[in-house]
Amino acid sequence: MATPYVTDETGGKYIASTQRPDGTWRKQRRVKEGYVPQEEVPVYENKYVKFFKSKPELPPGLSPEATAPAAASRPEGGEPGLSKTAKRNLKRKEKRRQQQEKGEVEALSRTLDKVSLGEPAAPPSAPPGPQAAPTGASDPPDAAGAAERARKIKNLKKKLRQVEELQQRVQSGEVSQPSREQLEKLARRRALEEELEDLELGL
């Protein structure tokens, strides 16, 4: 708020009398030529502050009109202020994160399948209590063994499926002269079936 000045007939300046909050009045004061009241004195700013305040936001030589079309043509889906490389890296990170989550889900489902295949169901009459605690402590090695056994069963089933497909191709005449490797594969069928039965019985 500017200080109210009063000029008299002689040309002198006065600060008009003002009322204080408690109701009393301040005296009228004479002011010398060139006087600037304290509230109107500008705050001191050193040269560095002045430089940074006067510094333009855009790089030297770039007009504000040149930046306006670029901002308008930016795709709506893209994040502001990112280069093509940064956007590409973001996409890669997102894809990697999704693959990692997908891999974790698959690993968890595989583990659940293996545990359900490998471990026999507990008898319903088993009493819960201190006897159940030691079996819980030995679960990790059993789970690892069950997982290994399930993996072997899966591999053996895959090999048997390949042998059956090969045998059907030979019987249908699709493969007229089987190679030595194919004949060996067909001969191993019985051994694979026995190994699979042993694994499934838990021997």
Side-chain angles (χ1 to χ4, degrees):
M1 179 179 137
T3 306
Y5 290 109
V6 177
T7 308
D8 63 357
E9 303 84 34
T10 60
K13 277 187 178 179
Y14 293 92
I15 295 176
S17 58
T18 55
Q19 192 172 12
R20 296 186 183 99
D22 63 355
T24 59
W25 285 87
R26 293 184 189 89
K27 288 184 184 176
Q28 171 177 309
R29 288 185 296 159
R30 188 157 192 257
V31 178
K32 291 183 181 176
E33 199 62 44
Y35 169 77
V36 180
Q38 187 65 37
E39 60 268 9
E40 294 177 16
V41 173
V43 178
Y44 172 74
E45 292 178 344
N46 63 27
K47 59 183 179 181
Y48 299 108
V49 173
K50 286 180 183 174
F51 170 74
F52 283 110
K53 280 191 175 178
S54 66
K55 187 177 172 185
E57 291 180 18
L58 302 173
L62 182 65
S63 65
E65 295 84 27
T67 59
S73 67
R74 181 185 296 136
E76 292 180 14
E79 293 188 29
L82 291 178
S83 65
K84 287 182 182 178
T85 310
K87 289 177 186 174
R88 200 176 311 131
N89 288 341
L90 275 175
K91 285 182 184 176
R92 283 182 187 157
K93 283 181 185 176
E94 181 67 23
K95 192 173 182 181
R96 206 176 299 134
R97 187 179 60 78
Q98 288 175 352
Q99 286 176 348
Q100 198 172 25
E101 287 175 358
K102 186 179 176 185
E104 288 173 1
V105 168
E106 287 176 0
L108 185 61
S109 65
R110 268 190 261 120
T111 307
L112 288 174
D113 289 344
K114 290 172 187 175
V115 169
S116 63
L117 286 175
E119 293 182 12
S125 62
Q131 295 171 350
T135 57
S138 64
D139 273 351
D142 290 348
E148 182 69 23
R149 189 167 53 229
R151 189 175 60 79
K152 285 181 181 177
I153 289 172
K154 184 178 175 185
N155 286 341
L156 285 172
K157 284 183 178 178
K158 182 179 175 185
K159 287 178 184 177
L160 277 171
R161 200 167 41 247
Q162 289 173 348
V163 169
E164 287 171 5
E165 286 173 7
L166 179 61
Q167 193 168 10
Q168 286 175 359
R169 285 169 52 201
V170 168
Q171 287 174 350
S172 67
E174 198 175 319
V175 177
S176 57
Q177 289 291 326
S179 66
R180 191 168 61 100
E181 290 86 14
Q182 289 174 332
L183 289 172
E184 286 174 2
K185 201 180 231 185
L186 289 170
R188 278 202 317 258
R189 179 177 181 168
R190 185 66 205 141
L192 289 172
E193 287 174 349
E194 287 174 2
E195 193 177 345
L196 180 62
E197 285 174 15
D198 290 347
L199 279 172
E200 285 178 340
L201 293 173
L203 297 174

